[in-house]
Amino acid sequence: MAIFSVYVVNKAGGLIYQYDNYVPRAEAEKTFSYPLDLVLKIHDEKVVVSFGQRDGIRVGHALLSINGVDVNGKFTADGKEIIEYLKDSTNYPVSIRFGRARLSSNEKLMLASMFHSLFAIGSQLSPEVGSSGIEMLETDMFKLHCFQTLTGIKFIVLADPRQSGIDALLRKIYEIYSDFALKNPFYSLEMPIRCELFDQNLKGALEIAEKAGNFGPGS
């Protein structure tokens, strides 16, 4: 069981905090000879597989590294275009690592804003007034849990579907936010949270939740 990530979204839908606690990696690395027997394309400034599945490499997987060195979007570490680099037979044999594309900071901001809108739609679709909005979304791989405060701040946790104690964790995160962000004289409401004590206590709470699944008195 695992807790994957935490998001804090302000009442306007802006992402003010995000932490990746555990990111499972389904990655595959293979050494290729020339010519490359996979078809690659540029998608969202990343090089992804568009055709040819083999040895754990899937369509949609992004190219993550070449010869053990992480790539930068569609460019190699030394600034060369990856597609052109892989067309040159003198660069072979080459070791390439593929996996799920990592979310960029801009993508996380966009997804937080989209969830904010979905939350509002969920409230409006309710047959009764005063709906709490979306509290949980479930997939086969994870559950998204959301707790909204009276002031409109949303605390979102993505966790393994089998992980217990998430409701208690969400309220613990709210408590940490109140103690170490709101009481920080240098913190401005609705702005990104950059408080070391908040980070430390959040990580501690996630560790306790993963091990015990709940919080006892005084934790």
Side-chain angles (χ1 to χ4, degrees), residues 34-97:
Y34 186 83
L36 185 68
D37 57 354
L38 297 171
V39 179
L40 306 177
K41 68 176 182 179
I42 305 294
H43 178 70
D44 288 340
E45 298 300 309
K46 301 181 183 74
V47 177
V48 301
V49 178
S50 63
F51 182 80
Q53 299 192 151
R54 55 174 295 185
D55 303 321
I57 301 168
R58 300 284 182 263
V59 170
H61 273 186
L63 194 153
L64 303 178
S65 71
I66 294 177
N67 294 328
V69 181
D70 288 349
V71 301
N72 181 21
K74 58 183 179 180
F75 297 98
T76 62
D78 54 1
K80 298 177 182 177
E81 285 197 2
I82 292 171
I83 299 292
E84 295 303 316
Y85 178 88
L86 295 175
K87 288 180 180 178
D88 188 346
S89 61
T90 63
N91 293 321
Y92 288 78
V94 62
S95 177
I96 306 176
R97 180 164 53 92

Side-chain angles (χ1 to χ4, degrees), residues 126-145:
S126 171
E128 298 289 341
V129 296
S131 169
S132 64
I134 296 171
E135 294 184 345
M136 186 181 73
L137 294 175
E138 183 173 359
T139 75
D140 59 337
M141 300 300 292
F142 73 93
K143 283 184 181 179
L144 180 153
H145 304 260

Side-chain angles (χ1 to χ4, degrees), residues 5-201:
S5 55
V6 176
Y7 292 75
V8 182
V9 180
N10 65 22
K11 63 183 179 182
L15 181 64
I16 59 174
Y17 186 85
Q18 195 277 327
Y19 173 66
D20 289 323
N21 183 55
Y22 170 73
V23 182
R25 292 293 179 201
E27 298 180 353
E29 187 165 5
K30 182 173 176 59
T31 300
F32 295 87
S33 57
Y34 186 83
L36 185 68
D37 57 354
L38 297 171
V39 179
L40 306 177
K41 68 176 182 179
I42 305 294
H43 178 70
D44 288 340
E45 298 300 309
K46 301 181 183 74
V47 177
V48 301
V49 178
S50 63
F51 182 80
Q53 299 192 151
R54 55 174 295 185
D55 303 321
I57 301 168
R58 300 284 182 263
V59 170
H61 273 186
L63 194 153
L64 303 178
S65 71
I66 294 177
N67 294 328
V69 181
D70 288 349
V71 301
N72 181 21
K74 58 183 179 180
F75 297 98
T76 62
D78 54 1
K80 298 177 182 177
E81 285 197 2
I82 292 171
I83 299 292
E84 295 303 316
Y85 178 88
L86 295 175
K87 288 180 180 178
D88 188 346
S89 61
T90 63
N91 293 321
Y92 288 78
V94 62
S95 177
I96 306 176
R97 180 164 53 92
F98 293 92
R100 185 178 184 275
R102 300 182 179 98
L103 291 175
S104 67
S105 297
N106 285 338
E107 287 171 330
K108 291 175 181 177
L109 289 168
M110 180 186 69
L111 290 171
S113 178
M114 289 175 64
F115 179 77
H116 175 77
S117 300
L118 285 173
F119 189 95
I121 291 171
S123 298
Q124 293 172 3
L125 287 173
S126 171
E128 298 289 341
V129 296
S131 169
S132 64
I134 296 171
E135 294 184 345
M136 186 181 73
L137 294 175
E138 183 173 359
T139 75
D140 59 337
M141 300 300 292
F142 73 93
K143 283 184 181 179
L144 180 153
H145 304 260
C146 178
F147 169 64
Q148 179 174 254
T149 69
L150 294 175
T151 55
I153 300 291
K154 295 178 185 66
F155 296 92
I156 301 166
V157 169
L158 273 63
D160 186 290
R162 299 165 296 172
Q163 178 69 47
S164 62
I166 298 297
D167 287 343
L169 173 63
L170 285 166
R171 283 159 178 78
K172 183 66 177 180
I173 295 173
Y174 179 32
E175 180 184 319
I176 293 169
Y177 169 76
S178 300
D179 288 343
F180 300 103
L182 293 184
K183 294 179 183 178
N184 186 328
F186 300 103
Y187 176 68
S188 299
L189 284 174
E190 305 292 312
M191 298 302 291
I193 302 170
R194 296 187 178 91
C195 306
E196 186 175 346
L197 286 174
F198 178 84
D199 292 337
Q200 292 173 355
N201 282 271

